Amino acid sequence: MKRRTLDLLFSIGGLGLAVLLLVVGVVLTTNANFANDYVRDQLGAQHITFTPADKLSDEEKKSDCLREYAGQKMTTGKQAECYANEYIGLHLKNMAGGKTYADLGEPQSALREQVAQAEQSNAANLADLQKQLAEVSAQRETVFKGETLRGLLLTSYGFSEFGRKAEQGALALYLGAGLLFLLSVAGLVHAFRTPASATFAAPEKEKVTN
């Protein structure tokens, strides 16, 4: 095969692949921008603001991200992760001693049965049991709301991470496309500088001996 033909084939193929990588990179960039804009708009609509630094509790001050984002409005996935884990998570732990919405269901059901039995027997501790049931029910409802908000914020964080990964992938594709473009141009230059008669890996002619 002619060396020039081989150079042209590789160069044109490289240019085609570079264009393909560029197109995929643009698609990833578009998706990344959509993810970032969506997360920013959705979080911004919640009007959540981090507690100012001078109002953080001693436990909250132990969190690096709560100190970093103190007083800022929540607009990014990383901020949502921080608020969900370091702020809501901390307060839920302190409120229910680490118990979840599901964990509080058992004591709530038990108290309901005790209240029902006390009502039937007109027990002296009925008022106390009703008070305990009201406290557990209110606590469980608050934990449910906190866990729900925490889950939504972590979902936003996860969505933002997809956007970040798409940005990284797009950058890698852009760099690959640029490298292939440069190599293809170099191949084209080499092709036109190579004599038309030059061949690739041509077999050596055997010397004729007299």
Side-chain angles (χ1 to χ4, degrees):
M1 178 182 288
K2 299 290 184 180
R3 180 57 186 266
R4 177 178 291 181
T5 302
L6 188 63
D7 287 343
L8 289 174
L9 288 176
F10 277 110
S11 298
I12 294 173
L15 287 174
L17 185 56
V19 171
L20 177 61
L21 293 180
L22 183 62
V23 171
V24 177
V26 170
V27 172
L28 288 179
T29 298
T30 302
N31 290 337
N33 291 337
F34 170 78
N36 293 332
D37 293 343
Y38 182 82
V39 169
R40 184 185 65 250
D41 293 342
Q42 292 300 314
L43 292 178
Q46 302 304 315
H47 302 292
I48 298 175
T49 302
F50 285 86
T51 304
D54 58 344
K55 294 184 179 180
L56 291 173
S57 66
D58 292 337
E59 285 187 302
E60 291 170 349
K61 289 179 180 178
K62 296 178 182 179
S63 171
D64 293 336
C65 67
L66 287 181
R67 295 198 309 272
E68 178 184 353
Y69 300 133
Q72 298 182 20
K73 290 186 176 181
M74 184 190 303
T75 57
T76 68
K78 294 297 291 184
Q79 289 177 323
E81 180 195 28
C82 173
Y83 196 88
N85 291 333
E86 303 298 329
Y87 187 80
I88 296 178
L90 173 64
H91 287 276
L92 287 176
K93 182 179 179 181
N94 292 338
M95 179 185 301
K99 292 182 179 179
T100 65
Y101 173 81
D103 295 333
L104 292 171
E106 184 176 346
Q108 184 185 43
S109 298
L111 282 170
R112 282 175 176 169
E113 293 180 2
Q114 293 177 30
V115 168
Q117 293 174 1
E119 288 176 340
Q120 292 178 357
S121 62
N122 198 21
N125 64 340
L126 175 59
D128 182 57
L129 290 174
Q130 289 175 332
K131 181 180 178 181
Q132 293 181 40
L133 176 59
E135 290 176 351
V136 171
S137 298
Q139 189 180 56
R140 193 180 187 213
E141 182 179 354
T142 302
V143 169
F144 174 76
K145 292 178 180 178
E147 288 180 349
T148 301
L149 177 57
R150 182 170 179 267
L152 292 173
L153 291 177
L154 289 177
T155 299
S156 296
Y157 163 69
F159 198 70
S160 72
E161 283 297 291
F162 282 118
R164 188 174 67 87
K165 297 296 183 183
E167 287 179 343
Q168 294 175 347
L171 177 60
L173 290 173
Y174 291 146
L175 292 175
L179 179 60
L180 282 173
F181 177 77
L182 293 176
L183 292 175
S184 298
V185 170
L188 290 173
V189 172
H190 184 270
F192 288 108
R193 294 181 60 182
T194 300
S197 59
T199 58
F200 178 75
E204 295 183 1
K205 295 181 180 181
E206 295 182 359
K207 295 182 178 179
V208 180
T209 57
N210 294 329

